[in-house]
Amino acid sequence: MDLTLNRRDILTRTLPAAAFAGASLGSLGTLMAQPPAQGQMGQKSIIGSMIMQAAGNGQYKLPPLPYDYDALDPHIDAQTMQLHHDKHHQGYVDGLNKAVQGMTEMASGEIDDAKLAALERNLSFNGGGHLLHTIFWATMSPDGGGAPEGELAEAINAGFGSVDGFRNYFSKAAGGVKGSGWGLLAYEPLGDRLIVFALNEHDTKLMAGACPLLPLDVWEHAYYLKYQNRRADYIKAWWNVVNWKAVGEAYAWARKAFHGRKGEGE
Ligand code: MN3
């Protein structure tokens, strides 16, 4: 693989990546909620629709689940889904709104170092929590499971050798998180490749610029009612509800955003 970037590459790859850094709610949502070019995918992506509902009128909002609380049973139980979505995710939405309001207020007055550090932390924690949970709900489905197809499958094979290799690696990365965190499959635009990494808590500042495609919440609140301390069993069950179609759409859109026509079907 040729790793040198020429002048055109720097303009076409680096600048959009910098502009997209952090995979903000707005850019990701606007991008994914648009109708696909040339009827390629037929309808709006589920991730795009949910992200578009995750904010409005200058406020962040809790997007409704795209299925019933008990839809993912027996893999994820209804009570966990209800508490996780209605209470935990709502808490991050409220925290994010409070943090951005605090940022505006602090900027117009005296800036206290300790308060600034706390606010920075709240912004990253709640912003990451809101984005990751929104994509988490969208990438699960009662009709999920199976295997990825098409270009996503090709990219997984290229990056991880095989779908089984990817599954194993992702499961180990997510299972090995110390305390609370996430496993994440993301599109990394500079290398035009898929990467998997673990996040502590909701820290999306890691690997800024990578676009989240498939997050798995491994906080205890995501599984403890049903699986108690058996995180590995929860991860194994979660593969049965992964909405690969949604992940494939997100991959196609993210790639197209950074590489234009190149991503459309080479
Ligand atoms: Mn959670």
Side-chain angles (χ1 to χ4, degrees), residues 84 88 92 133 182 202 217 219 221-222:
H84 197 175
H88 292 274
Y92 305 131
H133 281 93
W182 296 72
H202 299 148
D217 192 335
W219 285 54
H221 67 225

Side-chain angles (χ1 to χ4, degrees), residues 40-82:
Q40 195 180 8
M41 288 175 278
Q43 57 187 9
K44 286 184 180 182
S45 80
I46 176 78
I47 299 181
S49 330
M50 284 199 67
I51 288 178
M52 289 304 277
Q53 295 176 75
N57 298 325
Q59 289 283 299
Y60 296 97
K61 293 178 176 173
L62 181 68
L65 283 178
Y67 35 72
D68 292 333
Y69 295 122
D70 63 358
L72 306 180
D73 203 60
H75 307 295
I76 303 179
D77 62 286
Q79 192 185 7
T80 296
M81 288 299 291
Q82 185 163 11

